[in-house]
Amino acid sequence: MPYPDRFYPVVDTIAWVKRLTQLGVGTVQLRAKDLDDAAATTLFREALTLTNGTKTKLVVNDYWRVAIDLKAQHLHLGQEDLAEADVAAIRKAGITLGLSTHDEEELETALRAKPDYVALGPIFFTTLKSMRFAPQGIPKISVWKKRIGTLPLVAIGGIKFEQAAEIFAAGADSIAVVSDVTQHADPDARVHQWLGASAKAA
């Protein structure tokens, strides 16, 4: 399977990791902010234990030292975290690296780190986190995909299942989803929709 999978949910609790793993999701990012190293180690150790031996690849968000210590396989960093991270140490540990980008300058910074994928966002308006960047819109996906070539491009930010076909057609290799799963009235059914569409497109 490609990495990251075409459907790429981002969640903030162990309960969600467990639920998505049981549903057979291939790539899940666990994003929990403002933890000290001890709390982050406890959280991600539990998450990695949950996903170990399953088809789910767990992506550690931000805590790169913890990812190395726990021998995680996948890591995602924002630009601020990238600036403070030891990319050489991450690479030496054999961990894949995905990076967030929001404008041309951030894309250039990300590409210098030779990531395994680049995330572009927000595609649409999102209320989940305060963003200093305006929505990028679907056409930007095509522009950036032409620039980065074979490097996987992940679209993120306010995306719903109904927009997936258009976003994939624009050039996205993967769609990161938050609220369309975690705030949906029937999350399990929504996940099955995403997985079904991804399987057809694969």
Side-chain angles (χ1 to χ4, degrees):
M1 290 294 291
Y3 175 77
D5 289 69
R6 288 173 70 80
F7 171 52
Y8 183 1
V10 180
V11 296
D12 60 0
T13 66
I14 289 292
W16 274 114
V17 172
K18 183 176 182 180
R19 187 171 184 173
L20 294 171
T21 299
Q22 291 173 339
L23 289 169
V25 175
T27 305
V28 176
Q29 183 184 135
L30 178 56
R31 182 168 67 190
K33 297 296 185 181
D34 303 321
L35 302 179
D36 60 29
D37 279 355
T41 297
T42 299
L43 178 73
F44 286 105
R45 180 182 286 121
E46 184 176 354
L48 288 164
T49 299
L50 264 175
T51 55
N52 188 34
T54 73
K55 68 182 287 186
T56 302
K57 299 177 283 288
L58 185 86
V59 183
V60 175
N61 180 282
D62 289 353
Y63 300 94
W64 61 271
R65 292 184 183 86
V66 171
I68 292 173
D69 290 345
L70 294 178
K71 295 181 169 54
Q73 294 180 295
H74 308 288
L75 176 68
H76 183 94
L77 296 177
Q79 291 280 320
E80 297 83 3
D81 303 290
L82 174 62
E84 299 173 359
D86 185 339
V87 174
I90 292 165
R91 291 304 189 191
K92 185 177 180 182
I95 301 174
T96 69
L97 179 61
L99 298 174
S100 294
T101 61
H102 305 89
D103 60 19
E104 296 291 334
E105 183 180 351
E106 290 192 351
L107 178 59
E108 291 301 323
T109 298
L111 293 177
R112 284 196 293 272
K114 296 183 169 53
D116 294 279
Y117 71 81
V118 168
L120 168 65
I123 303 303
F124 302 119
F125 177 76
T126 175
T127 59
L128 287 178
K129 56 190 289 192
S130 176
M131 297 295 294
R132 61 188 178 90
F133 298 95
Q136 305 281 356
I138 293 175
K140 189 74 165 285
I141 296 170
S142 301
V143 173
W144 281 34
K145 185 58 184 172
K146 284 178 184 172
R147 284 195 56 191
I148 67 176
T150 57
L151 188 68
L153 179 62
V154 178
I156 187 170
I159 300 170
K160 299 189 181 306
F161 174 75
E162 290 77 14
Q163 298 150 334
E166 187 179 1
I167 287 171
F168 283 132
D173 300 286
S174 173
I175 297 176
V177 177
V178 187
S179 61
D180 196 48
V181 169
T182 61
Q183 296 181 10
H184 196 273
D186 189 345
D188 290 11
R190 196 59 152 178
V191 168
H192 285 305
Q193 278 187 301
W194 277 102
L195 290 176
S198 297
K200 287 178 194 171

